[in-house]
């Protein structure tokens, strides 16, 4: 839309207009200014988002296998064939996709829920803490600041079966198990990926909650305290109420980010994770780059995108209703 | 303010486990980086018995870490610079002008940042490979330029969104006063908005740099041995026969320190920028 306007504007000569009494539809630099300002952003959005997305949607309708990677115009058109394969839940590929989706959903609910509770609780108690607040705040934020792979690789070391700290604590220290369990293969892999993701995610929830609590005016608490409200009542009726809009945004962001989590399973397990930790993004990644079936991979990413759009849409409806009721 | 006993107990129940949960992996990283290889092969030692700085020396020769470092710095800095500069102009337009297409543009920016990277990785991979094939040389696929383009997929929308939120928080009376004094719109941007939005701009730059520095998805497919970044290169410490865990930890520490220090210094800007963008 912006581009067509620019083209129209360019055809007309730019004339200096009198400062007062301009006709509403005349060209002026002021009217053109916002389009010039967003022009670089529009060009780059086209380059890195819009065109790749259109190409991606097109790719989901062609049979883009390894024979056609370097010459994709030759790939045969298969219509909705890739989607039929991805959504055929009785076939092996469709079933794997459903399993991966359910694992990702469980993973996301656990990670977002626990990260939110951790972040909120830590912010609540630190907000009212005098000494030691700065130190703990800094400590809690380090996992978030750490590059993802650095943090995850520490956990990979801790979770090693033979020389890892966790098994040493569980087996030799606490004698909770007689055999050293595997944490990076088999069913336990799910626990590992959840714990490591929480370790990285909860500081973000903490950071946002802290920031939200800082803007709540202190007078509110003082007034409530004079009226005899207990600490818990203050938290429930002042902090939680005031935090509602921020929490809504925070939960949506956490959900969207966690649902597409790639780094944690990829660094912990490599490109082919154990079944129990086969998160969707890694699933799409390995289906595409290991079997080189980009058509199917694109169809699955389009489905993932549609799901996230639906989630965000439902969130927007819910958020609007909450705000109207409040 | 007097606090109830139950709240004081709650405080300890929250803080102690979270502090241990957070600190133990960091402790493992620092101490393991100071141990010789044989001491990280067996049981974990809480107190390193043979302190050594050798992992910090050897890690540069086991894998070409310096090359990865340079690649990461170049790619991440350029992507950050591009997205911050583009975002300054775009967010100024979104925040200060009402124009046709504003809603569509903001909608595209907002929605693209919630889409998963893999959605863009597959088509960009195909586009890069095919452009290079028709050019006859490596221009985009597995080059730094190509990687910078892919990093813009996540740094750009976030920068625009966050900075627009921040600029909305700057009172309009400021730039309107400047316009009354005869400044143009661009003059108001550079003289009024830019200085006032400095915390937001710093936050955007820090955030873009952090996400680029930790990026794995694009780098794992769109780099080769010459253009590999730290995030992918770090995996090379694990060979078929041996994992140099002490060197891995030393390298993890070295690549983290600049980013963590930068983050901790600039975190108050990041917090104000993030919440301004989130709460609007």
């Amino acid at each position: 839309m912006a581009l067509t306007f620019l083209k129209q504007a360019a055809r007309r000569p730019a004339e200096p207009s009198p400062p007062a009494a301009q006709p509403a539809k005349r060209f002026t630099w002021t009217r053109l200014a916002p389009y010039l300002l967003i022009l670089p952003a529009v060009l780059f959005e086209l380059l890195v988002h819009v065109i790749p997305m259109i190409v991606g949607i097109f790719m989901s309708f062609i049979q883009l296998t390894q024979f056609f990677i370097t010459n994709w115009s030759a790939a045969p058109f298969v219509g909705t064939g890739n989607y039929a394969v991805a959504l055929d839940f009785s076939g092996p590929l469709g079933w794997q996709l459903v399993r991966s989706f359910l694992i990702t959903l469980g993973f996301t609910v656990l990670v977002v829920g626990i990260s939110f509770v951790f972040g909120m609780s830590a912010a609540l108690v630190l907000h009212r803490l005098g000494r030691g607040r700065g130190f703990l705040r800094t400590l809690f934020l380090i996992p978030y600041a750490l590059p993802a792979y650095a943090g995850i690789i520490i956990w990979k070391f801790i979770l090693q079966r033979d020389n890892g700290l966790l098994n040493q604590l569980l087996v030799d220290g606490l004698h909770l198990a007689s055999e050293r369990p595997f944490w990076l293969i088999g069913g336990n892999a799910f626990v590992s990926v959840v714990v490591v993701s929480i370790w990285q995610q909860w500081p973000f929830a903490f950071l946002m909650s802290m920031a939200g609590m800082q803007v709540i005016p202190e007078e509110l608490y003082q007034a409530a305290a004079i009226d005899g409200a207990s600490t818990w009542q203050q938290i429930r009726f002042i902090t939680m109420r005031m935090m509602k809009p921020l929490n809504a945004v925070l939960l949506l962001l956490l959900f969207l980010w966690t649902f597409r989590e790639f780094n944690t399973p990829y660094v912990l397990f490599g490109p082919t994770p154990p079944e129990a930790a086969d998160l969707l993004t890694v699933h799409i990644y390995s289906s595409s780059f290991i079997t080189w079936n980009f058509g199917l991979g694109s169809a699955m990413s389009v489905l993932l995108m549609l799901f996230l759009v639906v989630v965000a849409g439902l969130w927007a409806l819910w958020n609007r209703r909450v705000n109207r009721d409040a | 303010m007097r606090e109830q006993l139950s709240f004081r107990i709650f405080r300890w129940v929250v803080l102690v486990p979270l502090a241990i949960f957070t600190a133990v992996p960091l402790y493992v990283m620092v101490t393991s980086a100071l141990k010789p290889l044989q001491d990280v092969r067996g049981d974990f030692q809480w107190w390193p018995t043979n302190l050594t700085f050798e992992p910090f020396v050897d890690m540069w020769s086991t894998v070409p870490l310096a090359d990865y470092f340079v690649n990461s710095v170049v790619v991440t800095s350029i992507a950050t610079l591009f997205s911050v500069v583009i975002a300054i102009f775009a967010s100024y337009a979104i925040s200060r002008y009402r124009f046709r297409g504003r809603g569509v543009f903001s909608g595209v920016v907002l929605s693209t940042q919630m889409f998963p990277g893999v959605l863009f990785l597959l088509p960009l991979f195909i586009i890069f490979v095919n452009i290079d094939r028709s050019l006859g040389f490596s221009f985009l696929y597995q080059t730094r330029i190509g990687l910078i383009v892919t990093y813009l997929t996540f740094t750009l929308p976030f920068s625009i969104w966050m900075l627009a939120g921040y600029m909305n928080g700057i009172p309009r009376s400021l730039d309107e006063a400047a316009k009354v004094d005869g400044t143009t719109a661009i003059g108001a941007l550079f003289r009024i908005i830019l200085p006032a939005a400095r915390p937001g701009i710093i936050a955007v730059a820090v955030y873009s740099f952090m996400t680029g520095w930790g990026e794995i998805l694009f780098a794992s497919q769109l780099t080769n041995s010459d253009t590999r970044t730290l995030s992918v290169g770090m995996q090379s410490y694990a060979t078929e026969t041996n994992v140099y865990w002490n060197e891995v930890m030393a390298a993890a520490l070295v690549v983290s320190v600049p980013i963590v220090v930068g983050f901790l210094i600039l975190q108050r800007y990041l917090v104000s920028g993030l919440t301004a963008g989130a709460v609007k």
Side-chain angles (χ1 to χ4, degrees):
Chain A
M1 200 180 284
L3 285 173
T4 44
F5 180 86
L6 281 175
K7 273 183 216 145
Q8 284 169 3
R11 265 185 237 123
R12 282 181 243 169
E15 45 188 349
S17 47
Q22 326 170 350
K25 288 286 169 190
R26 279 268 297 284
F27 167 83
T28 64
W29 277 109
T30 318
R31 279 168 58 83
L32 186 60
Y35 297 102
L36 286 176
L37 286 167
I38 64 166
L39 182 65
V42 169
L43 289 179
F44 273 94
E45 283 287 327
L46 283 174
L47 183 73
V48 303
H49 284 136
V50 179
I51 294 173
M53 254 168 77
I54 294 168
V55 170
I57 292 170
F58 176 73
M59 278 162 61
S60 69
F61 294 109
I62 59 176
Q63 197 176 11
L64 194 57
T65 52
Q66 72 257 43
F67 311 109
F68 305 108
I69 294 286
T70 54
N71 186 16
W72 69 316
S73 49
F77 191 74
V78 289
T80 54
N82 290 320
Y83 291 93
V85 172
L87 294 173
D88 172 20
F89 303 142
S90 52
L93 292 172
W95 184 75
Q96 281 168 14
L97 183 66
V98 169
R99 190 187 60 192
S100 173
F101 174 80
L102 292 176
I103 290 171
T104 313
L105 204 58
F107 164 81
T108 308
V109 169
L110 281 173
V111 172
V112 172
I114 297 174
S115 298
F116 181 76
V117 170
F118 279 11
M120 188 57 120
S121 318
L124 269 179
V125 296
L126 271 201
H127 183 64
R128 292 161 167 269
L129 189 69
R131 208 187 308 165
R133 179 172 159 178
F135 170 77
L136 282 171
R137 185 190 151 101
T138 305
L139 174 69
F140 289 159
L141 289 179
I142 290 177
Y144 177 66
L146 224 53
Y149 52 89
I152 303 163
I153 226 161
I154 305 171
W155 277 98
K156 193 173 179 175
F157 180 47
I158 292 174
L159 296 170
Q160 293 291 309
R161 179 175 180 263
D162 295 322
N163 59 343
L165 171 59
L166 181 67
N167 273 350
Q168 193 183 324
L169 278 178
L170 287 180
V171 181
D172 305 337
L174 302 169
H175 300 286
L176 289 176
S178 50
E179 273 285 295
R180 285 173 174 254
F182 285 98
W183 292 101
L184 297 172
I185 51 177
N188 288 340
F190 182 75
V191 181
S192 305
V193 79
V194 167
V195 170
V196 178
S197 300
I198 292 172
W199 189 78
Q200 295 179 291
Q201 292 269 27
W202 85 267
F204 180 74
F206 166 71
L207 187 71
M208 295 282 277
S209 304
M210 273 292 254
M213 284 176 198
Q214 270 160 10
V215 297
I216 301 175
E218 193 59 36
E219 297 86 63
L220 284 180
Y221 294 111
Q222 284 162 1
I226 290 166
D227 289 345
S230 71
T231 316
W232 293 110
Q233 283 169 327
Q234 291 175 27
I235 289 170
R236 192 172 147 209
F237 293 110
I238 301 173
T239 319
M240 288 304 169
R241 283 287 157 82
M242 299 287 283
M243 294 283 288
K244 242 183 185 173
L246 186 102
N247 283 344
V249 176
L250 175 61
L251 282 173
L252 178 74
L253 281 180
L254 282 176
F255 188 93
L256 295 176
W257 286 346
T258 310
F259 202 85
R260 66 183 188 193
E261 178 61 45
F262 174 82
N263 296 343
T264 311
Y266 184 80
V267 176
L268 281 181
F269 314 117
T272 39
E275 278 183 12
D278 188 21
L279 299 186
L280 257 182
T281 319
V282 188
H283 183 78
I284 296 171
Y285 180 92
S286 47
S287 324
S288 307
F289 288 103
I290 288 172
T291 62
W292 294 103
N293 190 343
F294 273 52
L296 184 62
S298 301
M300 293 194 290
S301 6
V302 171
L303 291 172
L304 170 59
M305 174 185 81
L306 289 178
F307 174 74
L308 294 178
V309 168
V310 168
V311 168
L314 288 176
W315 176 88
L317 285 178
W318 169 78
N319 196 37
R320 187 182 296 176
R321 225 178 59 196
V322 168
N323 285 344
R324 204 193 309 138
D325 293 348
Chain B
M1 207 177 344
R2 180 111 186 94
E3 276 161 359
Q4 282 161 305
L5 180 65
S6 58
F7 186 78
R8 275 180 277 160
I9 295 172
F10 175 67
R11 169 177 293 152
W12 290 107
V13 171
V14 168
L15 288 184
V16 172
L18 280 179
I20 293 173
F21 179 52
T22 309
V24 166
L26 302 175
Y27 179 81
V28 168
M29 168 169 69
V30 175
T31 53
S32 303
L34 295 168
K35 291 176 188 169
L37 188 58
Q38 67 266 19
D39 285 5
V40 290
R41 283 214 177 114
D43 280 348
F44 181 77
Q45 305 171 347
W46 284 99
W47 291 113
T49 41
N50 307 302
L51 274 181
T52 171
F53 283 98
E54 264 168 39
F56 289 94
V57 178
D58 297 340
M59 67 181 190
W60 302 97
S61 50
T62 309
V63 305
L65 192 67
D67 296 347
Y68 303 154
F69 219 101
V70 171
N71 286 329
S72 276
V73 168
V74 169
V75 170
T76 314
S77 317
I78 296 179
T80 301
L81 187 71
F82 262 82
S83 48
V84 169
V85 171
I86 295 169
I88 286 173
F89 292 112
S91 49
Y92 180 61
I94 292 181
S95 137
R96 289 301 193 263
Y97 289 92
R98 295 290 171 270
F99 54 95
R100 277 185 64 188
R102 179 177 174 272
V104 177
F105 179 71
S106 325
V108 169
V109 169
L110 193 65
S111 53
T112 46
Q113 75 160 351
M114 74 181 208
F115 292 153
V118 73
L119 183 73
F120 303 109
L121 172 64
L122 301 184
L124 283 170
F125 181 92
I126 295 292
I127 292 170
F128 285 5
V129 167
N130 283 278
I131 286 180
D132 285 3
R133 194 184 61 105
S134 48
L135 287 175
F137 66 96
S138 276
F139 173 57
L140 292 168
Y141 180 56
Q142 298 189 332
T143 66
R144 285 175 179 172
I145 297 174
L147 202 58
I148 290 167
V149 171
T150 61
Y151 278 23
L152 288 174
T153 60
F154 53 86
T155 56
L156 191 58
F158 193 88
S159 304
I160 297 175
W161 182 65
M162 194 157 127
L163 210 49
Y166 199 86
M167 284 186 185
N168 282 337
I170 300 171
R172 273 159 180 280
S173 50
L174 275 183
D175 40 318
E176 265 150 24
K179 275 184 205 162
V180 169
D181 291 345
T183 318
T184 59
I186 302 298
L189 168 63
F190 281 101
R191 267 179 247 147
I192 309 294
I193 301 290
L194 276 194
R198 213 171 65 190
I201 295 169
I202 293 174
V204 163
V206 172
Y207 191 84
S208 294
F209 197 88
M210 274 174 61
T211 42
W213 195 254
E215 205 282 331
I216 300 174
L217 176 68
F218 291 107
S220 68
Q221 282 300 330
L222 297 174
T223 57
N224 59 21
S225 53
D226 289 334
T227 55
R228 194 157 292 159
T229 57
L230 285 170
S231 56
V232 184
M234 288 266 297
Q235 326 255 343
S236 328
Y237 285 103
T239 59
E240 293 281 317
T241 51
N242 215 338
V243 182
Y244 298 91
W245 280 116
N246 53 346
E247 291 178 32
V248 173
M249 294 300 136
L253 192 62
V254 167
V255 304
S256 305
V257 163
I259 217 92
V260 171
V261 170
F263 172 81
L264 293 177
I265 292 171
L266 301 169
Q267 51 149 315
R268 63 199 173 93
Y269 296 118
L270 188 71
V271 171
S272 57
L274 273 175
T275 43
V279 187
K280 284 194 267 256

